[in-house]
Amino acid sequence: MVQDAETRTRIETDSLGELPIPADAYWGIHTARALENFPISKRPISVYPELITALAMVKQASARANRQIGALDAERADLIDRAAEQVIAGRHHDQFVVGVIQGGAGTSTNMNANEVITNIALELAGRPKGDYAFLSPIDHTNRSQSTNDVYPTAIKVGLSLSLGSLLDELGLLRQAFLDKAVEFRDVLKVGRTQLQDAVPMTLGQEFHGFASTLGADQMRLRENAYLLHEINMGATAIGTGITTHPDYGAAVLRHLREISGLDLETAVDLVESTSDTGSFMSFSSSLKRNAIKLSKICNDLRLLSSGPQAGFGEINLPARQAGSSIMPGKVNPVIPEVVNQVAFAVAGADTTVTMAVEGGQLQLNAFEPVIAHSIFQSITWMRQAMWTLRVNCVEGITANRDRLGAMVGSSVGVITALTPFIGYAAAAALAKTALLTRRNVADLVVEAGLMGREEVAKQLSPARLSGLEAVTAAIPIIDTTAHPQPE
């Protein structure tokens, strides 16, 4: 390593030759070559901080394991350990600069981590960056490792860490819908199937359904999270464990479990685990399920709030911004709309993951970088989408109670609740009359002599109409032939 005081660079060497590296950079020549080769995404891996944290955890666990089994001396192992701890604590993330999309099956990411942690360690030792004769990114920081076990393990650990915050936000969004379900528990409305009027329900029931949907997704995501807990540390290049000490695998697993707090396990078949990326496909699929169901909820919110005069107009979404540069006063459902778009992106990312998993060949899948990018992006965007949906939309939703009440009162759907008492034929005739005359259903039933006013009011109470109070018995069906039908 040669320092150039005038240009403020240092010269580093690899098997391909020499390159000048900025003197203050913690990354080195392998990272520099990746920056030249992969100017694709214009997004560095540091946009996913959980991945950077996970890489540092793997390097820290490896240093401790190597020291434990005697594969690395105490001084160097301690320096690597301390340097990795700084990265885990959130420092130097800006030094992880390689692009998220890269060739080489993640080698550039692994080397970026090796170089940054090594140069932090050199500083801790009072030595200059690039003094690899004392502490090498490959011979020491990468001891007993290969990109092919470090990278997939770091992705799994990083996704597990990221999933925790996603589940937290999903839980808060679910609770916001539950709170609205309580607030709207006594607000009757007309339910709809195939966009046509159906039978009554409460707005609270509708919002409780949204909450239940999200609760089911919480369970599915937690179940699929366990697929990420099987790692292949100790596999090295293809799963045979070449260059590793026989005790390394068990040692690194123990240390990584302790550092990450995750219930990790080493795969039984390291060759299979190194080449198979099916767990990423299953996990991505569960994210897509959550995104698509959340998008459906947002579709419903947009429909229910449509108008406000010529649409459903049943609920009001918080006004977040002017909706038109030409139509004064127009306000659009921008928050549900952005969540819809996130769902579209997640669905596309899942297709990318599926194709990348299929594209693996023989003992390795070279396309894990795009798998990692796709899933981390999905989690990041979904977490932010859930936050804005909760804070900027759901928590501020109000009900148009007068409009909902009027719609229920004039809806022929309420007559369904009376069919056990007056029979289907009479109910159908009255429904037809109500549609033609736009008269109140209850009034027509009473006028026809089919039921008394008090009994009609009882059966058409909000509790009965919404199913919250069960109808335990029906009065005998009245002989409708004995009564003239309304014209």
Side-chain angles (χ1 to χ4, degrees):
M1 184 271 300
V2 178
Q3 294 279 358
D4 189 329
E6 292 185 3
T7 61
R8 298 185 59 79
T9 61
R10 65 179 188 267
I11 303 299
E12 291 195 10
T13 304
D14 66 3
S15 59
L16 300 181
E18 297 181 343
L19 280 181
I21 306 297
D24 59 350
Y26 287 88
W27 46 267
I29 190 169
H30 296 279
T31 301
R33 294 202 188 280
L35 291 174
E36 291 180 353
N37 292 334
F38 311 124
I40 310 299
S41 65
K42 301 299 183 182
R43 299 176 68 186
I45 56 174
S46 58
V47 297
Y48 304 126
E50 293 90 352
L51 175 59
I52 306 307
T53 298
L55 284 163
M57 287 180 171
V58 171
K59 297 301 173 182
Q60 186 178 56
S62 292
R64 293 179 182 181
N66 282 323
R67 177 177 181 173
Q68 176 185 330
I69 64 177
L72 196 60
D73 64 273
E75 180 185 11
R76 289 183 175 84
D78 181 64
L79 287 170
I80 295 169
D81 191 329
R82 291 164 58 198
E85 185 60 37
Q86 289 193 12
V87 177
I88 293 170
R91 296 178 60 186
H92 307 293
H93 280 212
D94 62 325
Q95 297 296 305
F96 290 79
V97 295
V98 298
V100 292
I101 302 300
Q102 56 190 253
T107 298
S108 297
T109 293
N110 184 37
M111 287 308 303
N112 194 166
N114 286 331
E115 290 173 339
V116 170
I117 290 172
T118 297
N119 281 306
I120 296 171
L122 286 170
E123 276 195 342
L124 291 172
R127 292 174 176 270
K129 297 183 183 70
D131 186 5
Y132 300 148
F134 174 76
L135 186 66
S136 166
I138 296 177
D139 291 334
H140 300 121
T141 304
N142 200 60
R143 178 70 58 86
S144 305
Q145 304 153 62
S146 163
T147 292
N148 301 345
D149 54 6
V150 167
Y151 190 58
T153 296
I155 294 172
K156 290 178 178 180
V157 171
L159 289 175
S160 297
L161 298 175
S162 188
L163 178 62
S165 59
L166 177 70
L167 288 172
D168 289 343
E169 194 56 60
L170 180 55
L172 292 172
L173 179 59
R174 174 177 174 270
Q175 187 59 52
F177 278 112
L178 285 175
D179 292 343
K180 288 298 170 181
V182 173
E183 180 182 341
F184 301 147
R185 65 186 180 279
D186 60 343
V187 182
L188 270 180
K189 61 161 287 177
V190 177
R192 296 178 182 84
T193 57
Q194 295 157 279
L195 290 180
Q196 304 300 303
D197 296 348
V199 296
M201 65 186 302
T202 68
L203 190 59
Q205 287 174 313
E206 193 161 31
F207 274 72
H208 193 278
F210 297 155
S212 296
T213 290
L214 298 179
D217 283 338
Q218 281 182 298
M219 294 174 61
R220 298 292 85 78
L221 285 167
R222 287 195 180 98
E223 289 171 358
N224 279 284
Y226 288 104
L227 297 172
L228 303 175
H229 289 176
E230 183 183 87
I231 64 172
N232 68 328
M233 289 302 293
T236 62
I238 63 171
T240 59
I242 191 171
T243 74
T244 61
H245 189 284
D247 297 332
Y248 171 79
V252 74
L253 173 66
R254 181 175 69 82
H255 288 295
L256 189 54
R257 285 168 63 104
E258 180 181 285
I259 293 165
S260 67
L262 299 172
D263 188 22
L264 304 172
E265 293 292 342
T266 300
V268 174
D269 187 332
L270 290 178
V271 172
E272 179 274 337
S273 182
T274 303
S275 62
D276 180 27
T277 51
S279 60
F280 295 128
M281 184 167 61
S282 296
F283 183 68
S284 175
S285 178
S286 68
L287 290 174
K288 181 183 72 173
R289 167 194 161 115
N290 182 208
I292 295 305
K293 291 171 69 176
L294 191 60
S295 186
K296 187 272 180 188
I297 290 173
C298 287
N299 292 341
D300 289 351
L301 294 178
R302 291 192 293 118
L303 276 175
L304 294 174
S305 65
S306 60
Q309 294 171 301
F312 284 17
E314 296 186 3
I315 61 174
N316 306 300
L317 305 184
R320 297 301 305 175
Q321 63 188 63
S324 174
S325 60
I326 189 174
M327 293 174 281
K330 191 172 189 294
V331 178
N332 296 325
V334 294
I335 302 303
E337 285 173 351
V338 77
V339 177
N340 287 137
Q341 292 174 80
V342 167
F344 305 157
V346 172
D350 181 63
T351 299
T352 298
V353 171
T354 300
M355 297 306 297
V357 169
E358 186 276 336
Q361 297 169 315
L362 304 178
Q363 278 68 61
L364 184 67
N365 189 307
F367 309 117
E368 287 184 0
V370 77
I371 291 174
H373 165 57
S374 299
I375 301 178
F376 274 111
Q377 176 180 277
S378 292
I379 289 182
T380 302
W381 286 17
M382 285 175 63
R383 181 172 59 232
Q384 296 305 111
M386 290 176 189
W387 178 88
T388 196
L389 181 62
R390 172 175 60 89
V391 173
N392 294 322
C393 184
V394 176
E395 292 178 347
I397 291 175
T398 58
N400 285 329
R401 293 174 181 261
D402 292 342
R403 178 175 174 83
L404 288 166
M407 292 171 72
V408 171
S410 62
S411 171
V412 298
V414 300
I415 205 166
T416 302
L418 303 180
T419 54
F421 310 99
I422 65 176
Y424 185 90
L430 288 172
K432 182 178 179 180
T433 301
L435 285 171
L436 291 172
T437 63
R438 298 188 179 279
R439 294 189 60 200
N440 184 280
V441 169
D443 292 341
L444 293 174
V445 173
V446 173
E447 288 176 11
L450 298 175
M451 295 179 71
R453 176 70 66 180
E454 184 177 336
E455 185 62 25
V456 169
K458 176 182 177 182
Q459 300 306 328
L460 298 186
S461 68
R464 289 283 177 96
L465 285 177
S466 63
L468 297 176
E469 178 182 301
V471 178
T472 55
I475 60 175
I477 295 176
I478 297 173
D479 182 3
T480 57
T481 60
H483 302 274
Q485 296 299 307
E487 298 182 358

